[in-house]
Amino acid sequence: VADDDSWDRYEAAQWRAIADWLAANPADPDHDTMRETLTRWRRTYLRWGRRYVGWGVFVMRSTI
């Protein structure tokens, strides 16, 4: 289970990946949509997500 710092790093890594893609692909037809999506995701996370969202990794396997 992640703490706030781990969750922030996880989110920031995704934002960085999209920002890098935007910088490398300014002429891509999806550029503006991705920029708007990135802005919306950041705003949503910073407004309420960080306070309320947590995560964990669960591994399930058959006992058979």
Side-chain angles (χ1 to χ4, degrees):
V1 176
D3 60 17
D4 288 345
D5 291 335
S6 295
W7 187 249
D8 287 347
R9 284 190 299 274
Y10 175 79
E11 286 287 328
Q14 293 182 68
W15 299 343
R16 178 62 188 251
I18 296 170
D20 289 348
W21 183 89
L22 290 169
N25 298 281
D28 190 283
D30 292 326
H31 185 273
D32 291 342
T33 301
M34 288 302 295
R35 182 177 40 80
E36 291 166 10
T37 299
L38 174 59
T39 300
R40 188 176 62 251
W41 284 348
R42 282 181 180 161
R43 186 179 312 123
T44 299
Y45 176 73
L46 295 172
R47 282 188 180 164
W48 68 267
R50 189 171 191 274
R51 188 174 350 162
Y52 299 113
V53 177
W55 62 279
V57 176
F58 300 91
V59 177
M60 297 180 199
R61 61 182 175 181
S62 174
T63 58
I64 299 173

